[in-house]
Amino acid sequence: MQRKTTIKLAIALVMSTLFTANFYAQSEPTEHPEQTEEKYDPVATALGHALDSHEIHFLGEGESAVHLPLPVILYTDNGLEFFMSSEFHHGEHAHIERDGKKVDGYVYKNYFIDHHMTKISPVIDSHGHYTIDEEVSITDFSITKNVFALFITAFLLLFVFMKVGKFYKKNGAVAPKGLTSWMEPLILFVRDDIAEPNLGDKKTKFMPYLLTVFFFIWFGNLLGLIPFISNPNLTGNISFTIVLALFTLIVQMLFSKKGFWKHIFSPPGVPVALYPILIPIEFAGIFIKPAALLIRLFANITAGHIIVVSLVGIIFVKGSLAWSGLSVPMTLFISCLELLVAFLQAYIFTMLSALFIGTAIDDGHH
Amino acid sequence: MELVTPSIGLMFWTSLVFVILLFLLAKFAWKPILKSVKEREVKIESALEASEKARTEMALLKSQNEDLRKEALVERDALLKEAREMKDKMVAEAKVTAKEEGERIIESAREAIKNEKMAAVTEIKNQVATLSIEIAEKIVKEKLSTDEKQKTLVDGLVEEINLN
């Protein structure tokens, strides 16, 4: 008991120092608070919320915004570069001219880094005027908002399910209690309603994968619904969904049986004349299926984020607080709906993964 | 457009975290959980089966008990019947024996009475004989006390003989 409390205290201390040390609120008021310049752009706001970023935005706009800076890790020709995103001249995005187009970006040391962290250009700073010397491609491995959310999700998953695992290790085959009784029905749901109908007796081998996918997506979806940590749109990020769909494809390919390939390259009951049409379609289907999977999750979760921000945005577009009478109930409704969607999408992704794996491991008794 | 552009960094971190998560959760969470749940299911199933079995056994036992009871009843009836018969028989036998015995006793009593009577009669006869002799002796003595009387007697006797 004593040890547990000490660990908790240590974590709290570390967290609080991290937050207080790194918070930087540039509270100096803008010199010219011109209303025209600060015009609310609903599209940019909605998209900006759905996108990834290099800091966690808590509140405020522009100069007075409160952010938690995150580590930036860049892989350049000179190797890895580590620095905190607070080292960017925040709020003062630099601009350069590239191929005749204005490009937003950051300045770090003697580099101009474009907004999407794809290119780096050593520049000469002469009082805010940057000139490009040469362009170098970089790869961004930063701990962005989504990566941070990813870590939190993983930590929560480990915390919750290792606790549940420990409960069973300690107590053996008993009735669930506490946290376990919350999670066990979901685990059984995945086993009996997702794995069992699609995989049958072979489900045991795939249970860890399906359970991890299900809870990873679900927890990620739920984390994205928490407003005060700037709704990290992790599970609605296409990179995230691509990776998960790829894992499903890999598992599917690794365990695929002869029957699956036979079905693709010599579909039974089809005239040979149709083979030239059918085989390419069937073959493309292997990749279309996970593509549909990744697009579905991406679109559903991102749409939810955009809808919520857009509905709140009504107030700002109309410029009147009275509109909150419409905006708030609708946002509340959509948020509740999103709770359902969070579960539903996790279910659908897992369910289709199980289905795809199920067709691949089928021995071909037709 | 940025929305649908995958980023290498996030893909890298997602893959890394997912693989680690899969490994750790599989080892420390899913395996023990699924194992225990399965064990528990087997346990519940076997418990249900056992209770079902116990119930059928119970029913079987109950019916067996019923059979036994019925058998016992039949046996009891048979025993009672037998006992009654035996009793009747014994009573009848006893009656016969008693009758015979009574008759025998009566017979022997009769015999004894007869014997006694005979003895008594004999004794009475003897007594009478003795008394008669004594009386006769006295009478003779009386009759023969004088000569005259002797003479009369002899005369009487002679007369009697003559008459015969």
Side-chain angles (χ1 to χ4, degrees):
Chain A
M1 233 41 233
Q2 191 78 41
R3 200 173 58 98
K4 234 177 180 174
T5 327
T6 322
I7 290 168
K8 273 182 188 163
L9 203 71
I11 291 170
L13 267 173
V14 167
M15 289 300 273
S16 62
T17 44
L18 195 81
F19 270 68
T20 46
N22 289 318
F23 263 136
Y24 61 100
Q26 286 159 313
S27 49
E28 297 146 43
T30 331
E31 273 174 40
H32 307 288
E34 288 166 62
Q35 291 295 317
T36 45
E37 216 183 66
E38 302 261 328
K39 198 169 180 295
Y40 180 75
D41 180 358
V43 176
T45 314
L47 283 180
H49 272 263
L51 289 173
D52 206 354
S53 78
H54 281 87
E55 68 264 311
I56 295 175
H57 177 221
F58 290 96
L59 50 101
E61 278 298 327
E63 297 288 311
S64 59
V66 180
H67 296 279
L68 176 68
L70 293 168
V72 177
I73 303 162
L74 298 178
Y75 182 72
T76 66
D77 288 352
N78 307 325
L80 288 170
E81 292 259 12
F82 295 94
F83 55 94
M84 293 303 283
S85 68
S86 52
E87 286 185 44
F88 288 138
H89 288 267
H90 193 83
E92 265 186 282
H93 284 188
H95 313 289
I96 55 162
E97 294 266 329
R98 183 192 286 156
D99 307 328
K101 270 168 85 184
K102 201 174 103 178
V103 178
D104 274 344
Y106 310 100
V107 171
Y108 169 68
K109 287 183 184 165
N110 292 327
Y111 298 108
F112 174 85
I113 301 158
D114 71 3
H115 190 59
H116 306 318
M117 305 267 170
T118 50
K119 288 209 170 89
I120 190 164
S121 327
V123 287
I124 302 122
D125 184 7
S126 51
H127 299 287
H129 296 286
Y130 306 105
T131 40
I132 302 170
D133 201 4
E134 58 171 329
E135 279 191 355
V136 182
S137 277
I138 54 169
T139 317
D140 183 11
F141 287 108
S142 304
I143 309 300
T144 58
K145 184 168 97 178
N146 281 341
V147 178
F148 191 66
L150 183 75
F151 291 164
I152 292 175
T153 309
F155 174 77
L156 281 175
L157 276 172
L158 287 177
F159 177 76
V160 170
F161 289 103
M162 279 187 168
K163 211 167 174 183
V164 175
K166 226 191 223 160
F167 172 86
Y168 277 120
K169 243 184 200 161
K170 208 172 86 186
N171 300 313
V174 294
K177 244 200 256 172
L179 186 68
T180 312
S181 55
W182 281 88
M183 290 306 153
E184 202 201 277
L186 292 163
I187 295 169
L188 291 183
F189 169 72
V190 174
R191 193 191 65 175
D192 298 338
D193 292 317
I194 297 177
E196 178 66 39
N198 293 308
L199 299 166
D201 296 336
K202 292 170 200 141
K203 66 176 184 293
T204 324
K205 208 193 302 178
F206 302 101
M207 279 313 293
Y209 177 73
L210 295 175
L211 282 168
T212 310
V213 165
F214 178 81
F215 286 106
F216 198 29
I217 295 174
W218 189 45
F219 273 47
N221 286 348
L222 289 180
L223 194 74
L225 293 177
I226 302 171
F228 305 110
I229 52 167
S230 78
N231 303 55
N233 188 19
L234 169 67
T235 45
N237 192 294
I238 198 143
S239 314
F240 180 88
T241 63
I242 282 174
V243 170
L244 285 191
L246 268 178
F247 273 114
T248 295
L249 184 64
I250 290 168
V251 171
Q252 198 188 353
M253 292 299 109
L254 277 181
F255 294 95
S256 62
K257 294 266 165 64
K258 228 162 84 187
F260 172 69
W261 296 105
K262 218 175 118 190
H263 223 78
I264 289 167
F265 292 111
S266 65
V270 174
V272 182
L274 284 177
Y275 276 18
I277 308 167
L278 217 60
I279 289 171
I281 291 173
E282 285 278 354
F283 189 73
I286 299 173
F287 303 100
I288 291 168
K289 278 173 188 163
L293 205 57
L294 76 92
I295 290 167
R296 184 180 297 108
L297 181 60
F298 155 75
N300 272 285
I301 304 303
T302 300
H305 280 253
I306 290 174
I307 288 171
V308 168
V309 178
S310 303
L311 285 174
V312 174
I314 293 174
I315 303 166
F316 300 96
V317 171
K318 295 288 179 183
S320 162
L321 198 61
W323 280 94
S324 58
L326 174 73
S327 173
V328 171
M330 282 177 80
T331 311
L332 184 65
F333 170 69
I334 292 294
S335 295
C336 291
L337 194 71
E338 282 304 305
L339 283 174
L340 176 72
V341 170
F343 181 83
L344 199 69
Q345 288 306 319
Y347 165 64
I348 291 173
F349 195 103
T350 317
M351 164 82 181
L352 289 176
S353 291
L355 183 73
F356 296 162
I357 294 167
T359 55
I361 61 166
D362 200 15
D363 286 329
H365 311 288
H366 289 289
Chain B
M1 203 50 215
E2 201 194 332
L3 207 58
V4 289
T5 314
S7 107
I8 301 286
L10 186 53
M11 283 176 75
F12 164 75
W13 287 115
T14 308
S15 314
L16 186 71
V17 167
F18 185 79
V19 168
I20 293 170
L21 208 56
L22 184 61
F23 174 75
L24 286 179
L25 286 180
K27 191 159 194 290
F28 296 109
W30 310 137
K31 234 181 185 166
I33 293 170
L34 290 172
K35 197 176 137 249
S36 294
V37 167
K38 185 90 208 160
E39 256 172 40
R40 200 181 59 202
E41 271 166 6
V42 169
K43 222 162 99 180
I44 291 169
E45 208 168 300
S46 64
L48 281 175
E49 251 169 37
S51 82
E52 182 65 27
K53 212 172 130 193
R55 225 177 53 178
T56 49
E57 252 169 37
M58 196 76 167
L60 197 77
L61 267 177
K62 220 168 148 188
S63 74
Q64 271 178 353
N65 278 350
E66 190 63 25
D67 286 353
L68 271 176
R69 205 174 69 92
K70 271 183 192 156
E71 257 171 47
L73 273 177
V74 168
E75 204 167 319
R76 190 195 68 170
D77 285 352
L79 274 174
L80 277 176
K81 207 176 147 200
E82 205 177 312
R84 205 178 293 130
E85 274 170 5
M86 197 175 265
K87 183 195 84 178
D88 288 351
K89 205 173 130 194
M90 273 170 84
V91 168
E93 266 174 16
K95 262 184 194 165
V96 170
T97 323
K99 211 173 151 195
E100 277 174 1
E101 186 74 4
E103 271 168 11
R104 199 179 57 81
I105 289 166
I106 289 167
E107 193 61 33
S108 71
R110 205 174 278 150
E111 196 87 355
I113 289 166
K114 205 174 144 191
N115 288 346
E116 289 289 310
K117 203 172 115 190
M118 289 290 278
V121 168
T122 313
E123 197 164 322
I124 288 168
K125 272 184 185 165
N126 289 344
Q127 286 276 346
V128 169
T130 319
L131 279 176
S132 302
I133 291 170
E134 276 174 12
I135 293 166
E137 198 182 281
K138 276 177 183 167
I139 293 170
V140 170
K141 271 180 184 169
E142 180 62 45
K143 290 236 174 149
L144 297 177
S145 53
T146 61
D147 288 338
E148 199 181 327
K149 277 176 184 179
Q150 283 175 4
K151 196 161 171 237
T152 317
L153 180 63
V154 173
D155 287 345
L157 283 170
V158 169
E159 204 174 327
E160 257 173 52
I161 296 161
N162 283 346
L163 276 170
N164 284 341

PDB file of all heavy atoms in Angstrom, chain A residues 306-330:
ATOM      1  N   ILE A 306     -15.377  17.006 -36.759  1.00  0.00           N
ATOM      2  CA  ILE A 306     -15.671  18.208 -37.533  1.00  0.00           C
ATOM      3  C   ILE A 306     -17.080  18.713 -37.222  1.00  0.00           C
ATOM      4  O   ILE A 306     -17.293  19.917 -37.053  1.00  0.00           O
ATOM      5  CB  ILE A 306     -15.491  17.937 -39.052  1.00  0.00           C
ATOM      6  CG1 ILE A 306     -13.995  17.771 -39.352  1.00  0.00           C
ATOM      7  CG2 ILE A 306     -16.068  19.072 -39.888  1.00  0.00           C
ATOM      8  CD1 ILE A 306     -13.676  17.362 -40.767  1.00  0.00           C
ATOM      9  N   ILE A 307     -18.028  17.779 -37.075  1.00  0.00           N
ATOM     10  CA  ILE A 307     -19.406  18.192 -36.780  1.00  0.00           C
ATOM     11  C   ILE A 307     -19.469  18.935 -35.456  1.00  0.00           C
ATOM     12  O   ILE A 307     -20.076  20.005 -35.343  1.00  0.00           O
ATOM     13  CB  ILE A 307     -20.354  16.968 -36.760  1.00  0.00           C
ATOM     14  CG1 ILE A 307     -20.574  16.460 -38.184  1.00  0.00           C
ATOM     15  CG2 ILE A 307     -21.700  17.335 -36.132  1.00  0.00           C
ATOM     16  CD1 ILE A 307     -21.310  15.147 -38.254  1.00  0.00           C
ATOM     17  N   VAL A 308     -18.807  18.375 -34.439  1.00  0.00           N
ATOM     18  CA  VAL A 308     -18.852  19.010 -33.113  1.00  0.00           C
ATOM     19  C   VAL A 308     -18.273  20.420 -33.178  1.00  0.00           C
ATOM     20  O   VAL A 308     -18.894  21.388 -32.711  1.00  0.00           O
ATOM     21  CB  VAL A 308     -18.098  18.142 -32.078  1.00  0.00           C
ATOM     22  CG1 VAL A 308     -17.889  18.920 -30.791  1.00  0.00           C
ATOM     23  CG2 VAL A 308     -18.880  16.872 -31.798  1.00  0.00           C
ATOM     24  N   VAL A 309     -17.097  20.560 -33.814  1.00  0.00           N
ATOM     25  CA  VAL A 309     -16.466  21.883 -33.895  1.00  0.00           C
ATOM     26  C   VAL A 309     -17.332  22.825 -34.736  1.00  0.00           C
ATOM     27  O   VAL A 309     -17.501  23.990 -34.394  1.00  0.00           O
ATOM     28  CB  VAL A 309     -15.035  21.773 -34.480  1.00  0.00           C
ATOM     29  CG1 VAL A 309     -14.419  23.159 -34.609  1.00  0.00           C
ATOM     30  CG2 VAL A 309     -14.180  20.891 -33.614  1.00  0.00           C
ATOM     31  N   SER A 310     -17.941  22.301 -35.799  1.00  0.00           N
ATOM     32  CA  SER A 310     -18.768  23.135 -36.655  1.00  0.00           C
ATOM     33  C   SER A 310     -19.994  23.642 -35.908  1.00  0.00           C
ATOM     34  O   SER A 310     -20.385  24.802 -36.036  1.00  0.00           O
ATOM     35  CB  SER A 310     -19.221  22.358 -37.886  1.00  0.00           C
ATOM     36  OG  SER A 310     -18.101  21.872 -38.565  1.00  0.00           O
ATOM     37  N   LEU A 311     -20.606  22.756 -35.115  1.00  0.00           N
ATOM     38  CA  LEU A 311     -21.806  23.163 -34.383  1.00  0.00           C
ATOM     39  C   LEU A 311     -21.480  24.233 -33.354  1.00  0.00           C
ATOM     40  O   LEU A 311     -22.223  25.198 -33.192  1.00  0.00           O
ATOM     41  CB  LEU A 311     -22.448  21.949 -33.707  1.00  0.00           C
ATOM     42  CG  LEU A 311     -23.194  21.000 -34.652  1.00  0.00           C
ATOM     43  CD1 LEU A 311     -23.659  19.769 -33.908  1.00  0.00           C
ATOM     44  CD2 LEU A 311     -24.377  21.697 -35.293  1.00  0.00           C
ATOM     45  N   VAL A 312     -20.352  24.065 -32.673  1.00  0.00           N
ATOM     46  CA  VAL A 312     -19.922  25.097 -31.729  1.00  0.00           C
ATOM     47  C   VAL A 312     -19.600  26.365 -32.518  1.00  0.00           C
ATOM     48  O   VAL A 312     -19.886  27.485 -32.080  1.00  0.00           O
ATOM     49  CB  VAL A 312     -18.699  24.622 -30.917  1.00  0.00           C
ATOM     50  CG1 VAL A 312     -18.174  25.746 -30.036  1.00  0.00           C
ATOM     51  CG2 VAL A 312     -19.062  23.423 -30.062  1.00  0.00           C
ATOM     52  N   GLY A 313     -19.057  26.186 -33.724  1.00  0.00           N
ATOM     53  CA  GLY A 313     -18.668  27.306 -34.577  1.00  0.00           C
ATOM     54  C   GLY A 313     -19.820  28.214 -34.986  1.00  0.00           C
ATOM     55  O   GLY A 313     -19.602  29.371 -35.321  1.00  0.00           O
ATOM     56  N   ILE A 314     -21.054  27.652 -34.935  1.00  0.00           N
ATOM     57  CA  ILE A 314     -22.225  28.467 -35.290  1.00  0.00           C
ATOM     58  C   ILE A 314     -22.221  29.767 -34.490  1.00  0.00           C
ATOM     59  O   ILE A 314     -22.453  30.864 -35.020  1.00  0.00           O
ATOM     60  CB  ILE A 314     -23.538  27.695 -35.018  1.00  0.00           C
ATOM     61  CG1 ILE A 314     -23.648  26.509 -35.975  1.00  0.00           C
ATOM     62  CG2 ILE A 314     -24.753  28.606 -35.175  1.00  0.00           C
ATOM     63  CD1 ILE A 314     -24.832  25.606 -35.691  1.00  0.00           C
ATOM     64  N   ILE A 315     -21.904  29.627 -33.190  1.00  0.00           N
ATOM     65  CA  ILE A 315     -21.909  30.798 -32.298  1.00  0.00           C
ATOM     66  C   ILE A 315     -20.951  31.856 -32.825  1.00  0.00           C
ATOM     67  O   ILE A 315     -21.269  33.051 -32.859  1.00  0.00           O
ATOM     68  CB  ILE A 315     -21.494  30.386 -30.872  1.00  0.00           C
ATOM     69  CG1 ILE A 315     -22.429  29.296 -30.345  1.00  0.00           C
ATOM     70  CG2 ILE A 315     -21.472  31.580 -29.936  1.00  0.00           C
ATOM     71  CD1 ILE A 315     -21.926  28.603 -29.117  1.00  0.00           C
ATOM     72  N   PHE A 316     -19.785  31.427 -33.263  1.00  0.00           N
ATOM     73  CA  PHE A 316     -18.746  32.372 -33.675  1.00  0.00           C
ATOM     74  C   PHE A 316     -19.013  32.927 -35.069  1.00  0.00           C
ATOM     75  O   PHE A 316     -18.728  34.081 -35.346  1.00  0.00           O
ATOM     76  CB  PHE A 316     -17.373  31.711 -33.597  1.00  0.00           C
ATOM     77  CG  PHE A 316     -17.060  31.258 -32.202  1.00  0.00           C
ATOM     78  CD1 PHE A 316     -17.294  29.952 -31.816  1.00  0.00           C
ATOM     79  CD2 PHE A 316     -16.562  32.166 -31.276  1.00  0.00           C
ATOM     80  CE1 PHE A 316     -17.024  29.553 -30.526  1.00  0.00           C
ATOM     81  CE2 PHE A 316     -16.291  31.773 -29.980  1.00  0.00           C
ATOM     82  CZ  PHE A 316     -16.528  30.459 -29.607  1.00  0.00           C
ATOM     83  N   VAL A 317     -19.593  32.089 -35.923  1.00  0.00           N
ATOM     84  CA  VAL A 317     -19.931  32.571 -37.269  1.00  0.00           C
ATOM     85  C   VAL A 317     -21.007  33.649 -37.168  1.00  0.00           C
ATOM     86  O   VAL A 317     -20.924  34.706 -37.792  1.00  0.00           O
ATOM     87  CB  VAL A 317     -20.408  31.405 -38.160  1.00  0.00           C
ATOM     88  CG1 VAL A 317     -20.974  31.931 -39.477  1.00  0.00           C
ATOM     89  CG2 VAL A 317     -19.263  30.451 -38.436  1.00  0.00           C
ATOM     90  N   LYS A 318     -22.008  33.393 -36.319  1.00  0.00           N
ATOM     91  CA  LYS A 318     -23.095  34.346 -36.160  1.00  0.00           C
ATOM     92  C   LYS A 318     -22.702  35.508 -35.255  1.00  0.00           C
ATOM     93  O   LYS A 318     -23.352  36.552 -35.259  1.00  0.00           O
ATOM     94  CB  LYS A 318     -24.336  33.640 -35.577  1.00  0.00           C
ATOM     95  CG  LYS A 318     -24.926  32.605 -36.516  1.00  0.00           C
ATOM     96  CD  LYS A 318     -25.617  33.265 -37.697  1.00  0.00           C
ATOM     97  CE  LYS A 318     -26.171  32.224 -38.643  1.00  0.00           C
ATOM     98  NZ  LYS A 318     -26.785  32.845 -39.830  1.00  0.00           N
ATOM     99  N   GLY A 319     -21.675  35.298 -34.478  1.00  0.00           N
ATOM    100  CA  GLY A 319     -21.184  36.356 -33.613  1.00  0.00           C
ATOM    101  C   GLY A 319     -22.142  36.727 -32.502  1.00  0.00           C
ATOM    102  O   GLY A 319     -22.131  37.843 -32.002  1.00  0.00           O
ATOM    103  N   SER A 320     -23.007  35.789 -32.109  1.00  0.00           N
ATOM    104  CA  SER A 320     -23.953  36.085 -31.039  1.00  0.00           C
ATOM    105  C   SER A 320     -24.068  34.893 -30.104  1.00  0.00           C
ATOM    106  O   SER A 320     -24.213  33.757 -30.558  1.00  0.00           O
ATOM    107  CB  SER A 320     -25.322  36.400 -31.641  1.00  0.00           C
ATOM    108  OG  SER A 320     -26.303  36.270 -30.652  1.00  0.00           O
ATOM    109  N   LEU A 321     -24.055  35.179 -28.801  1.00  0.00           N
ATOM    110  CA  LEU A 321     -24.119  34.115 -27.811  1.00  0.00           C
ATOM    111  C   LEU A 321     -25.480  33.434 -27.817  1.00  0.00           C
ATOM    112  O   LEU A 321     -25.622  32.292 -27.393  1.00  0.00           O
ATOM    113  CB  LEU A 321     -23.823  34.706 -26.423  1.00  0.00           C
ATOM    114  CG  LEU A 321     -23.427  33.695 -25.343  1.00  0.00           C
ATOM    115  CD1 LEU A 321     -22.150  32.974 -25.733  1.00  0.00           C
ATOM    116  CD2 LEU A 321     -23.260  34.395 -24.009  1.00  0.00           C
ATOM    117  N   ALA A 322     -26.496  34.150 -28.317  1.00  0.00           N
ATOM    118  CA  ALA A 322     -27.852  33.601 -28.355  1.00  0.00           C
ATOM    119  C   ALA A 322     -27.913  32.309 -29.149  1.00  0.00           C
ATOM    120  O   ALA A 322     -28.737  31.436 -28.882  1.00  0.00           O
ATOM    121  CB  ALA A 322     -28.805  34.623 -28.953  1.00  0.00           C
ATOM    122  N   TRP A 323     -27.014  32.183 -30.104  1.00  0.00           N
ATOM    123  CA  TRP A 323     -27.020  30.979 -30.940  1.00  0.00           C
ATOM    124  C   TRP A 323     -26.611  29.720 -30.167  1.00  0.00           C
ATOM    125  O   TRP A 323     -26.830  28.609 -30.638  1.00  0.00           O
ATOM    126  CB  TRP A 323     -26.104  31.153 -32.144  1.00  0.00           C
ATOM    127  CG  TRP A 323     -26.773  31.933 -33.214  1.00  0.00           C
ATOM    128  CD1 TRP A 323     -26.702  33.268 -33.422  1.00  0.00           C
ATOM    129  CD2 TRP A 323     -27.652  31.421 -34.211  1.00  0.00           C
ATOM    130  NE1 TRP A 323     -27.480  33.644 -34.468  1.00  0.00           N
ATOM    131  CE2 TRP A 323     -28.084  32.525 -34.988  1.00  0.00           C
ATOM    132  CE3 TRP A 323     -28.146  30.158 -34.533  1.00  0.00           C
ATOM    133  CZ2 TRP A 323     -28.955  32.389 -36.046  1.00  0.00           C
ATOM    134  CZ3 TRP A 323     -29.014  30.018 -35.599  1.00  0.00           C
ATOM    135  CH2 TRP A 323     -29.421  31.122 -36.339  1.00  0.00           C
ATOM    136  N   SER A 324     -26.047  29.948 -28.975  1.00  0.00           N
ATOM    137  CA  SER A 324     -25.686  28.765 -28.185  1.00  0.00           C
ATOM    138  C   SER A 324     -26.935  27.970 -27.810  1.00  0.00           C
ATOM    139  O   SER A 324     -26.870  26.777 -27.543  1.00  0.00           O
ATOM    140  CB  SER A 324     -24.924  29.182 -26.932  1.00  0.00           C
ATOM    141  OG  SER A 324     -25.709  30.063 -26.168  1.00  0.00           O
ATOM    142  N   GLY A 325     -28.093  28.641 -27.803  1.00  0.00           N
ATOM    143  CA  GLY A 325     -29.355  27.945 -27.553  1.00  0.00           C
ATOM    144  C   GLY A 325     -29.590  26.831 -28.547  1.00  0.00           C
ATOM    145  O   GLY A 325     -30.181  25.809 -28.229  1.00  0.00           O
ATOM    146  N   LEU A 326     -29.114  27.001 -29.753  1.00  0.00           N
ATOM    147  CA  LEU A 326     -29.222  25.957 -30.775  1.00  0.00           C
ATOM    148  C   LEU A 326     -27.975  25.078 -30.758  1.00  0.00           C
ATOM    149  O   LEU A 326     -28.054  23.850 -30.813  1.00  0.00           O
ATOM    150  CB  LEU A 326     -29.372  26.606 -32.158  1.00  0.00           C
ATOM    151  CG  LEU A 326     -29.354  25.635 -33.335  1.00  0.00           C
ATOM    152  CD1 LEU A 326     -30.645  24.845 -33.394  1.00  0.00           C
ATOM    153  CD2 LEU A 326     -29.109  26.370 -34.644  1.00  0.00           C
ATOM    154  N   SER A 327     -26.853  25.771 -30.673  1.00  0.00           N
ATOM    155  CA  SER A 327     -25.569  25.088 -30.822  1.00  0.00           C
ATOM    156  C   SER A 327     -25.300  24.076 -29.711  1.00  0.00           C
ATOM    157  O   SER A 327     -24.898  22.951 -29.982  1.00  0.00           O
ATOM    158  CB  SER A 327     -24.469  26.152 -30.860  1.00  0.00           C
ATOM    159  OG  SER A 327     -23.234  25.566 -30.851  1.00  0.00           O
ATOM    160  N   VAL A 328     -25.566  24.484 -28.457  1.00  0.00           N
ATOM    161  CA  VAL A 328     -25.216  23.602 -27.335  1.00  0.00           C
ATOM    162  C   VAL A 328     -26.033  22.314 -27.310  1.00  0.00           C
ATOM    163  O   VAL A 328     -25.450  21.229 -27.223  1.00  0.00           O
ATOM    164  CB  VAL A 328     -25.274  24.374 -25.995  1.00  0.00           C
ATOM    165  CG1 VAL A 328     -25.138  23.429 -24.819  1.00  0.00           C
ATOM    166  CG2 VAL A 328     -24.189  25.433 -25.950  1.00  0.00           C
ATOM    167  N   PRO A 329     -27.375  22.392 -27.424  1.00  0.00           N
ATOM    168  CA  PRO A 329     -28.115  21.119 -27.449  1.00  0.00           C
ATOM    169  C   PRO A 329     -27.701  20.211 -28.596  1.00  0.00           C
ATOM    170  O   PRO A 329     -27.609  18.992 -28.424  1.00  0.00           O
ATOM    171  CB  PRO A 329     -29.572  21.554 -27.616  1.00  0.00           C
ATOM    172  CG  PRO A 329     -29.616  22.963 -27.225  1.00  0.00           C
ATOM    173  CD  PRO A 329     -28.273  23.539 -27.503  1.00  0.00           C
ATOM    174  N   MET A 330     -27.448  20.823 -29.750  1.00  0.00           N
ATOM    175  CA  MET A 330     -27.054  19.993 -30.899  1.00  0.00           C
ATOM    176  C   MET A 330     -25.689  19.354 -30.672  1.00  0.00           C
ATOM    177  O   MET A 330     -25.481  18.187 -30.994  1.00  0.00           O
ATOM    178  CB  MET A 330     -27.049  20.828 -32.179  1.00  0.00           C
ATOM    179  CG  MET A 330     -28.458  21.050 -32.705  1.00  0.00           C
ATOM    180  SD  MET A 330     -28.480  22.099 -34.137  1.00  0.00           S
ATOM    181  CE  MET A 330     -28.020  20.965 -35.419  1.00  0.00           C
TER     182      MET A 330
END
